[in-house]
Amino acid sequence: MRVITCKNYEEMSKTAARLVAGQVSLKPNCVLGLATGSTPEGMYVELARMYQNGELDFSNVSTFNLDEYCPIDKENDQSYYYFMNKHLYSKVNLKPENLHIPNGSAKDIETECANYDKMIDSAGGIDLQILGIGSNGHIAFNEPEDELTAGTHRVELTEDTIKANSRFFASESDVPRHALTSGMATIMKSKKIILMISGKNKSEPLKKLLTGKITTSCPATMLNMHADVIVLADEDAMNG
Ligand code: GLP
């Protein structure tokens, strides 16, 4: 695991965008694994700027997002589909047929999850996965548990996560109690991973990650078993 300390959020965002741009230049038809949340927003701004300046072409890129609330309609302004459309899809030349997010309103959840993993495999696997982290150490929506799940699956959100994510909703009771999430194996099969960590409230899970110990009570620590992870942490997270 390579850890890069960035001065602040802006530097972390620009560094992440440069790494994504490097991946796209190297392999124009690459498969990107994308994340939502406040952490990657600045990276998306930078990627959109690079595209608008003619520095990046997404026309052959495919994307798979990590997770989606369940149940939720994609038109709902709190859905992760809505987030991605606002921050990336509407700003760059990704082809609609190449964008993937688990369908949070699917009738048959099991089939939806199984098909999602199959689609990633058929696309050749994820070349570069972007991750954020929850303050309880979750990645995607793989919450701290005695057992973690390998493939894409439906999960019950923890109180911590509901509370943390309620800032985007009118009230805490509006936060969906479930989500569809990539599993730990779905994430670990990615060829490269960039984990973005920003802010004092993320210093605890970052500390746990850096001990090199692996525990399901902090799912991000599993990344210690992956051969190609870059952690981009800002000074607030590092020193917090
Ligand atoms: C959410 C998402 C994660 C994200 C995390 C942190 O619940 N499911 O993919 O990394 O929480 O979000 P934020 O970047 O807003 O702190």
Side-chain angles (χ1 to χ4, degrees), residues 107-118:
K107 290 221 164 60
D108 180 348
I109 297 294
E110 262 180 45
T111 306
E112 172 65 20
C113 293
N115 284 346
Y116 200 70
D117 283 332
K118 275 189 207 143

Side-chain angles (χ1 to χ4, degrees), residues 9 34-41 66-69 80 83 130-136 138-143 157 161-162 164-165 167-168 179-181 195-198 201-202:
Y9 179 79
L34 298 179
T36 49
S38 317
T39 309
E41 273 184 35
L66 285 166
D67 46 18
E68 177 60 282
Y69 289 114
Y80 284 169
F83 174 102
I130 300 294
L131 290 179
I133 190 169
S135 47
N136 64 1
H138 73 234
I139 49 176
F141 270 129
N142 293 282
E143 298 278 26
L157 302 181
T161 300
I162 290 167
N165 291 8
R167 68 190 194 278
F168 300 112
L180 303 184
T181 181
L195 171 63
M196 303 173 74
I197 310 188
S198 167
N201 63 324
K202 302 291 174 70

Side-chain angles (χ1 to χ4, degrees), residues 179-201:
L180 303 184
T181 181
S182 298
M184 294 305 297
T186 320
I187 294 171
M188 294 292 281
K189 281 195 273 182
S190 311
K191 289 161 202 143
K192 290 190 196 110
I193 297 178
I194 296 174
L195 171 63
M196 303 173 74
I197 310 188
S198 167
K200 288 188 193 306
N201 63 324

Side-chain angles (χ1 to χ4, degrees), residues 25-82:
S25 317
L26 204 66
K27 186 177 174 190
N29 63 344
C30 66
V31 180
L32 298 177
L34 298 179
T36 49
S38 317
T39 309
E41 273 184 35
M43 177 193 75
Y44 291 131
V45 170
E46 186 59 14
L47 288 174
R49 189 198 62 74
M50 287 168 140
Y51 165 70
Q52 276 144 23
N53 285 352
E55 296 164 40
L56 254 182
D57 174 19
F58 287 92
S59 59
N60 290 310
V61 172
S62 300
T63 67
F64 285 86
N65 264 71
L66 285 166
D67 46 18
E68 177 60 282
Y69 289 114
C70 178
I72 204 160
D73 283 328
K74 59 198 253 197
E75 291 74 29
N76 184 316
D77 62 5
Q78 294 309 331
S79 75
Y80 284 169
Y81 179 86
Y82 190 97

Side-chain angles (χ1 to χ4, degrees), residues 20 142 223:
V20 173
N142 293 282
L223 297 175

